[in-house]
């Protein structure tokens, strides 16, 4: 008799079922490549069995997410079922949003100044805005 909710699931299967990666092969390569870490800071193996309540740090592209496992599944379901398998920590959400805002500013050519603009800096900004001295 098969249980509908297993007590532990292989990490690569869970990452695939939770829709972090499109295929189990991609999940396997991410784990082997050091993109997935356990909360204790250790690099798990592909066959590591995880349970409810464990924290995982997952890097995909520029983003790093820290998620808590809230459910287990060995089958890939729809997006709402996958979203029920984990919960991202509030600190992780804030850090991701701050990093995203920083990247957007950097891509727009804006950099955070090291100090407040002085009189000379303000004059140069006015020249850029108006084309000549005000």
């Amino acid at each position: 008799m098969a249980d509908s909710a297993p007590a532990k699931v292989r990490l690569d299967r869970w990452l695939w079922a939770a829709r972090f990666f499109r295929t189990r092969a991609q999940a396997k390569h991410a784990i082997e490549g050091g993109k997935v870490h356990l909360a204790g800071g250790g690099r798990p193996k592909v066959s590591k069995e995880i349970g409810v309540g464990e924290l995982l740090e997952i890097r995909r592209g520029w983003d790093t997410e820290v998620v808590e496992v809230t459910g287990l599944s060995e089958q890939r379901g729809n997006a709402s079922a996958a979203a029920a398998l984990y919960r991202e920590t509030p600190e992780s959400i804030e850090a991701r949003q701050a990093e995203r805002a920083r990247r957007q500013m950097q891509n727009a050519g804006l950099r955070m100044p090291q100090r407040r603009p002085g009189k000379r800096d303000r004059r140069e900004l006015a020249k850029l805005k108006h084309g000549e001295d005000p």
Side-chain angles (χ1 to χ4, degrees):
M1 186 170 198
D3 289 336
S4 61
K8 296 230 179 222
V9 176
R10 282 176 54 117
L11 181 58
D12 62 335
R13 286 190 73 102
W14 185 86
L15 289 169
W16 169 73
R19 293 181 170 254
F20 282 102
F21 299 99
R22 287 182 182 256
T23 65
R24 282 185 58 198
Q26 286 178 344
K28 176 184 179 237
H29 290 301
I31 295 166
E32 289 173 345
K35 307 291 186 191
V36 179
H37 292 270
L38 294 174
R43 283 180 58 177
K45 291 188 176 183
V46 176
S47 61
K48 166 80 172 144
E49 297 212 338
I50 61 168
V52 175
E54 293 196 38
L55 288 175
L56 299 172
E57 183 179 321
I58 304 165
R59 270 195 346 240
R60 292 185 296 166
W62 295 100
D63 295 329
T64 300
E65 299 176 64
V66 178
V67 298
E68 178 185 357
V69 178
T70 58
L72 299 174
S73 177
E74 290 187 341
Q75 294 182 345
R76 188 175 173 108
N78 58 19
S80 59
L85 296 179
Y86 64 92
R87 183 181 73 230
E88 188 173 3
T89 62
E91 297 85 15
S92 172
I93 294 170
E94 290 175 19
R96 262 189 325 111
Q97 290 174 346
E99 179 64 21
R100 183 179 298 133
R102 188 195 62 77
R103 280 195 318 267
Q104 286 176 343
M105 282 180 55
Q106 189 175 15
N107 289 341
L110 302 174
R111 289 190 175 84
M112 293 299 288
Q114 298 295 325
R115 57 182 172 76
R116 292 185 56 170
K119 187 173 186 177
R120 182 177 180 191
D121 298 327
R122 286 193 297 275
R123 284 185 178 162
E124 288 176 358
L125 286 171
K127 282 181 187 178
L128 281 174
K129 275 182 140 179
H130 304 294
E132 58 184 71
D133 285 332

